[in-house]
Amino acid sequence: MIDRLTLPSTLRTGGTPLVVRRAAPDDLEAIMRLLSDDPVSAGRGDTASDDDRDAYARALADIIADPGNDIVVVAGPDGAVVGTLQLTVIPGMARRGSSRLLVEAVRVSSSVRSSGIGGALMRWVTDEAAVELETPLVQLTSDAARTDAHRFYTRLGFVDSHVGFKYSVPLPAPTPR
């Protein structure tokens, strides 16, 4: 389903051409760094610890293998990964059987934030990816603490139309694989 997305793609930013491409297992370190570079994520345990590498590697492999999911990265001219996000196509019954494109874990390296990369990446999602995937609705959730992100998404045309709820389920400790 999501594999019909044409990648790589070039992002249009102020000056430097950036490439959006599917994440590969070799991108694990960069994705872990981007997650830990975010204070909210770091506060939830995304610290890019070597102890967590296997869990992240399994998650990345599961996402890559799932035809309804993908993780993309944004790479600069030198190949360095400076951004990432996860896309999930959700088939639906509502809205006359429309599918939705869910955007999660949007991260841009703090060293290049406010340079237009995040905006260009999200415009790629709405203007190219959603059209190719035939998903007339793009949705995302954003932690209530991310007030700067909320302003960013609003500037891009996203509407804060819903209230989200979460429920934490206490699970037994995972057994080593």
Side-chain angles (χ1 to χ4, degrees):
M1 174 179 341
I2 217 163
D3 59 347
R4 68 180 190 246
L5 190 58
T6 304
L7 288 170
S9 181
T10 302
L11 283 186
R12 293 173 278 291
T13 60
T16 308
L18 301 167
V19 174
V20 179
R21 62 174 174 76
R22 283 187 170 83
D26 290 347
D27 294 313
L28 180 64
E29 296 295 324
I31 295 169
M32 287 173 60
R33 269 194 317 276
L34 287 166
L35 291 169
S36 69
D37 187 33
D38 174 71
V40 174
S41 288
R44 292 189 293 230
D46 289 315
T47 59
S49 167
D50 286 341
D51 294 339
D52 298 330
R53 183 175 322 288
D54 289 344
Y56 285 112
R58 277 192 307 275
L60 181 59
D62 288 348
I63 293 166
I64 290 171
D66 184 331
N69 277 281
D70 219 337
I71 290 187
V72 298
V73 294
V74 179
D78 61 354
V81 173
V82 295
T84 188
L85 59 75
Q86 179 176 344
L87 297 173
T88 303
V89 174
I90 305 171
M93 293 298 294
R95 296 178 185 253
R96 298 176 40 223
S98 294
S99 293
R100 299 165 188 240
L101 185 58
L102 177 65
V103 181
E104 287 286 325
V106 179
R107 301 291 188 278
V108 173
S109 173
S110 60
S111 66
V112 293
R113 270 186 215 134
S114 299
S115 67
I117 294 171
L121 179 59
M122 291 305 296
R123 280 189 299 282
W124 171 81
V125 168
T126 58
D127 298 351
E128 295 182 39
V131 172
E132 277 191 54
L133 296 170
E134 299 176 359
T135 53
L137 183 66
V138 176
Q139 65 186 36
L140 55 85
T141 60
S142 180
D143 191 286
R146 296 181 187 278
T147 55
D148 289 341
H150 303 166
R151 284 191 296 275
F152 167 74
Y153 293 124
T154 300
R155 273 195 320 273
L156 293 174
F158 285 80
V159 178
D160 59 346
S161 62
H162 289 68
V163 174
F165 297 91
K166 295 185 184 217
Y167 184 87
S168 293
V169 177
L171 297 176
T175 56
R177 289 185 184 187

